[in-house]
Amino acid sequence: MQSTMQDVPLLISRILTHGSTIHGSSQVITWTGEGEPHRRSFAEIGARAARLAHALRELGVEEGQPTGTLMWNNAEHVEAYFAIPSMGAVLHTLNLRLPPEQLAWIVNHAADRVVIANGSLLPLLAPLLPHLKTVEHVIVSGPGDRSLLDGASAQVHEYEELIDGKPETYDWPELDERQGAAMCYTSGTTGDPKGVVFSHRSVYLHSMQVNMAQSMGLTDQDTSLVVVPQFHVNAWGLPHATFMTGVNMLMPDRFLQPGPLAEMIESEKPTHAAAVPTIWQGLLGELKAKPRDVSSLTQVTIGGSACPPSLMKAFDELGMRVCHAWGMTETSPLGTIARPPAHVVGTDEEFAYRITQGRFPASVEARLTGPDGERLPWDGESAGELEVRGPWIAGAYYGGHGTTEALRPADKFSEDGWLKTGDVGTISSDGFLTLTDRAKDVIKSGGEWISSVELENALMSHPDVAEAAVVAVPDEKWGERPLATVVLKEGATADFNTLRAFLAEEGKIAKWQLPERWTVIEAVPKTSVGKFDKKVLRRQYAAGGLDVTQI
Ligand code: ADP
């Protein structure tokens, strides 16, 4: 029997229309570094997105055309987020922290014709432009030295001039909800970067999930400090989700250092914030050095890499309740989120649930696969590679401009279409995921696996340790053994023997897993989105660049 329901496509233009009318007075607040931040209502964003779409159409942007943004988190970037997909083109957010060669490769692979860039990023864009073969137009927004683009082969436009006088409404086309709306390349830790293309439908459904009470669950009474960059998996879906519910967005623009972030929290009083652990470690240090009133901020979403328990506890003590979440570019990104089940709330067990990666939402199916391809039970003990599927999970990568074929590498997609995440962990019988490692970071010692994350979390709970990363290094006897690289806090006195003894205390870490190789480093190298970059550490070790003590 056919249903009798209307068939209305799930389109980003609907989210925009809803947000800019029903929640027209909600605001995007952009930090400017001096004086009052810049405030723009959702209604204004809606009108300006329509004007931008008219301008892009006049520049020849067609349906299906990837259109790049090289921007910080700010109101204009939100306008691009809605204008580009709503008119049928594809928003292509560019990660401004990638090495320039990789960025050029990505723009050429997607064949962006137009790039909208913040003026402050022209020092990055200008030298790159001669290598961007398809870029015909650059639209510049916000402060920055325009003369850097003198003599550029692409036509240069001012954002404000370009949209000035254009109509404030746009007859958004009724698109196929399955067509591409936005794309994002993974940072390509091995091989070339891979393009994930989100559909209108996937973005829409993902936004509804983000808004659920058991996910972030924000309302128009909230203000969210969106620290996670808009080029990092659509800022975890926040710009779309907030336009559904009227949550105000506080955008830090380029002011991502702990000092300005603390200032933003104190003066604009956000109730929620989202970022990777590194940002929160920095903020914690800042707040200890210079206490500020951050009491408005009661909910903090941490994901992107494992949240150390010590960090969660420290934030809890400040009254900011951390909610841990897991995901990846290929999962839009929300894959799990750690809201503890009702029966443990208020008990000693609650923390153990909160520190897991979390529970799968209804639309994300999961399974664990062992080394021989066998299905592993959800018993909280059997560890295997996590595979997922669902309406906002990638089933392939973009093949590149000029091809119609998508890429389905066998190490990333199973024969029956599930995404192989490359993450190793366990799932409890009530559906909570605990990741022990990324497959490529696991330490294989004498046929047993040692979790680098477990060692790092234990080390970072020592009061003298600011950061710690543990990597596998070759060992004649065991195949691989852990190398502990430690960043000590200022004035810290702990030596390696003390730290090793600390790990062994109370059976925190099994004796055979304790590292014998130790080194102190100044800072853990970070990836373009602020995660520990372990391949750099492995390379430094291999090249003899680390001063290692054996105990
Ligand atoms: P990249 O691959 O460039 O790091 P992603 O942002 O897509 O880009 O990274 C996804 C990966 O980040 C996941 O596969 C996982 O290894 C890691 N990750 C994300 N969230 C968490 C988390 N809460 N705990 C542990 N690891 C996480």
Side-chain angles (χ1 to χ4, degrees):
M1 188 191 288
Q2 284 286 330
S3 87
T4 60
M5 290 297 108
Q6 298 180 8
D7 190 10
V8 177
L10 309 177
L11 299 179
I12 290 180
S13 56
R14 286 192 205 291
I15 306 179
L16 174 64
T17 305
H18 174 82
S20 55
T21 51
I22 307 268
H23 297 295
S25 61
S26 294
Q27 288 189 336
V28 178
I29 305 148
T30 307
W31 202 249
T32 55
E34 51 192 28
E36 261 291 284
H38 184 265
R39 296 171 203 280
R40 193 168 290 159
S41 71
F42 281 16
E44 288 173 281
I45 298 260
R48 287 168 55 92
R51 286 159 59 188
L52 175 60
H54 284 289
L56 292 173
R57 181 92 335 138
E58 279 176 25
L59 294 183
V61 172
E62 306 269 345
E63 219 170 270
Q65 172 71 57
T67 301
T69 57
L70 187 66
M71 303 173 88
W72 304 103
N73 290 12
N74 51 44
E76 290 75 23
H77 206 173
V78 176
E79 288 158 12
Y81 251 56
F82 284 107
I84 294 169
S86 296
M87 66 188 284
V90 181
L91 169 79
H92 179 195
T93 51
L94 299 169
N95 180 342
L96 54 93
R97 297 201 200 280
L98 285 182
E101 321 75 71
Q102 235 181 64
L103 210 46
W105 188 95
I106 286 171
V107 172
N108 290 330
H109 189 259
D112 298 332
R113 277 189 57 237
V114 177
V115 173
I116 309 178
N118 277 139
S120 56
L121 293 168
L122 295 184
L124 166 66
L125 182 64
L128 210 59
L129 215 43
H131 306 284
L132 310 181
K133 298 177 206 144
T134 53
V135 175
E136 294 166 25
H137 299 276
V138 175
I139 305 172
V140 187
S141 153
D145 179 5
R146 274 35 176 190
S147 71
L148 290 167
L149 291 178
D150 285 352
S153 52
Q155 261 184 285
V156 180
H157 312 265
E158 274 299 325
Y159 186 96
E160 292 302 329
E161 283 170 18
L162 198 68
I163 69 167
D164 189 36
K166 298 282 185 296
E168 296 197 342
T169 57
Y170 192 107
D171 193 10
W172 303 119
E174 196 80 350
L175 305 165
D176 174 355
E177 66 176 19
R178 287 181 169 78
Q179 81 185 46
M183 68 195 305
C184 193
Y185 281 74
T186 63
S187 31
T189 33
T190 50
D192 290 329
K194 298 182 191 74
V196 174
V197 184
F198 310 100
S199 65
H200 286 262
R201 174 185 157 82
S202 72
V203 169
Y204 199 105
L205 294 172
H206 180 265
S207 307
M208 292 181 71
Q209 182 62 51
V210 168
N211 282 324
M212 280 197 190
Q214 279 188 336
S215 294
M216 295 192 208
L218 305 175
T219 74
D220 57 356
Q221 294 175 30
D222 288 293
T223 296
S224 177
L225 171 58
V226 187
V227 186
V228 52
Q230 286 185 258
F231 58 75
H232 189 198
V233 217
N234 299 327
W236 300 350
L238 280 164
H240 301 117
T242 53
F243 262 66
M244 278 187 169
T245 45
V247 178
N248 304 286
M249 274 184 278
L250 174 56
M251 296 302 211
D253 199 80
R254 58 195 185 281
F255 306 99
L256 292 166
Q257 308 71 24
L261 286 177
E263 227 178 288
M264 271 170 235
I265 300 170
E266 184 165 50
S267 76
E268 288 301 315
K269 311 212 175 317
T271 54
H272 169 260
V276 294
T278 315
I279 295 277
W280 300 117
Q281 293 281 18
L283 187 68
L284 197 60
E286 168 75 20
L287 292 176
K288 281 198 177 137
K290 190 172 169 194
R292 304 237 199 5
D293 177 9
V294 290
S295 57
S296 67
L297 187 54
T298 51
Q299 193 188 332
V300 166
T301 306
I302 297 190
S305 47
C307 175
S310 49
L311 184 67
M312 190 177 277
K313 285 196 177 124
F315 270 89
D316 281 356
E317 276 163 25
L318 287 170
M320 303 183 196
R321 192 173 163 94
V322 171
C323 189
H324 193 201
W326 165 86
M328 52 201 298
T329 307
E330 291 87 336
T331 67
S332 291
L334 188 66
T336 58
I337 188 154
R339 297 267 187 205
H343 68 92
V344 301
V345 172
T347 73
D348 292 346
E349 255 186 286
E350 186 175 5
F351 191 80
Y353 272 97
R354 289 178 56 212
I355 204 67
T356 68
Q357 271 65 24
R359 198 153 41 171
F360 297 95
S363 301
V364 179
E365 281 175 82
R367 67 187 188 193
L368 288 177
T369 306
D372 302 317
E374 73 279 23
R375 294 282 158 268
L376 299 176
W378 288 17
D379 55 10
E381 280 174 17
S382 310
E385 183 178 5
L386 171 67
E387 297 184 6
V388 290
R389 77 167 175 182
W392 58 80
I393 310 291
Y397 294 114
Y398 180 53
H401 178 64
T403 62
T404 46
E405 228 151 276
L407 308 173
R408 284 189 190 79
D411 63 330
K412 294 302 281 182
F413 300 100
S414 71
E415 273 174 21
D416 56 351
W418 291 57
L419 172 75
K420 299 181 180 177
T421 64
D423 287 324
V424 174
T426 62
I427 303 177
S428 62
S429 56
D430 49 358
F432 279 80
L433 170 72
T434 298
L435 289 186
T436 46
D437 242 318
R438 277 186 128 165
K440 57 179 184 284
D441 292 334
V442 153
I443 303 155
K444 299 177 192 89
S445 171
E448 298 281 345
W449 285 5
I450 301 177
S451 159
S452 64
V453 173
E454 203 173 289
L455 284 168
E456 287 160 6
N457 283 344
L459 275 168
M460 286 191 276
S461 67
H462 190 282
D464 280 2
V465 176
E467 276 183 339
V470 179
V471 295
V473 295
D475 182 272
E476 254 178 41
K477 184 162 173 208
W478 300 105
E480 286 178 354
R481 290 295 298 162
L483 161 71
T485 70
V486 182
V487 182
L488 291 174
K489 287 188 187 157
E490 238 179 70
T493 51
D495 60 17
F496 297 144
N497 282 311
T498 314
L499 291 176
R500 195 177 141 98
F502 174 76
L503 292 184
E505 259 171 35
E506 299 154 21
K508 259 193 226 102
I509 301 290
K511 205 156 170 253
W512 66 273
Q513 300 185 340
L514 296 176
E516 40 289 303
R517 293 175 182 81
W518 293 77
T519 184
V520 167
I521 54 177
E522 260 177 42
V524 178
K526 307 282 178 351
T527 70
S528 62
V529 288
K531 306 181 188 188
F532 287 1
D533 199 342
K534 296 195 187 176
K535 67 181 184 313
V536 172
L537 287 171
R538 283 192 283 258
R539 220 185 293 135
Q540 285 174 350
Y541 178 81
L546 295 175
D547 181 14
V548 174
T549 304
Q550 187 117 9
I551 53 174

